[in-house]
Amino acid sequence: VGSEMCIRDRLKEALEKMNYNQTELAQYLGTSQFTISAWARGDRDTTVRLLLALEDLTGMTFRELFGECEGRR
């Protein structure tokens, strides 16, 4: 559960900084809100194309958003 909480918290923080919600992020990335929600829960992997778009939008790297949470490497 620890890594999922970390991912959820980091994604939520990034969305708040950008003043976006999950639905708006999904629209920007051309995906569904369900997909964004699944990322936040750690239930779904993503594509490189979407990761690169997310990095561009947030200014955060993949590792900053999803990596190394509570000992997960």
Side-chain angles (χ1 to χ4, degrees):
V1 173
S3 63
E4 289 85 358
M5 180 61 87
C6 181
I7 292 166
R8 184 177 327 145
D9 292 343
R10 287 180 179 176
L11 186 56
K12 182 179 178 182
E13 180 182 320
L15 290 172
E16 286 174 357
K17 284 181 182 178
M18 298 177 313
N19 215 18
Y20 271 49
N21 60 38
Q22 288 186 2
T23 301
E24 292 166 326
L25 178 61
Q27 289 171 347
Y28 176 85
L29 297 175
T31 192
S32 69
Q33 190 276 329
F34 175 81
T35 296
I36 304 300
S37 179
W39 289 351
R41 292 189 312 272
D43 291 344
R44 182 175 227 173
D45 292 330
T46 186
T47 65
V48 171
R49 179 187 68 80
L50 291 178
L51 286 175
L52 292 173
L54 188 58
E55 286 182 348
D56 288 344
L57 179 66
T58 64
M60 297 174 73
T61 67
F62 167 77
R63 287 201 187 279
E64 290 170 323
L65 284 166
F66 298 103
E68 300 186 19
C69 295
E70 296 180 18
R72 190 183 105 193
R73 299 193 190 277

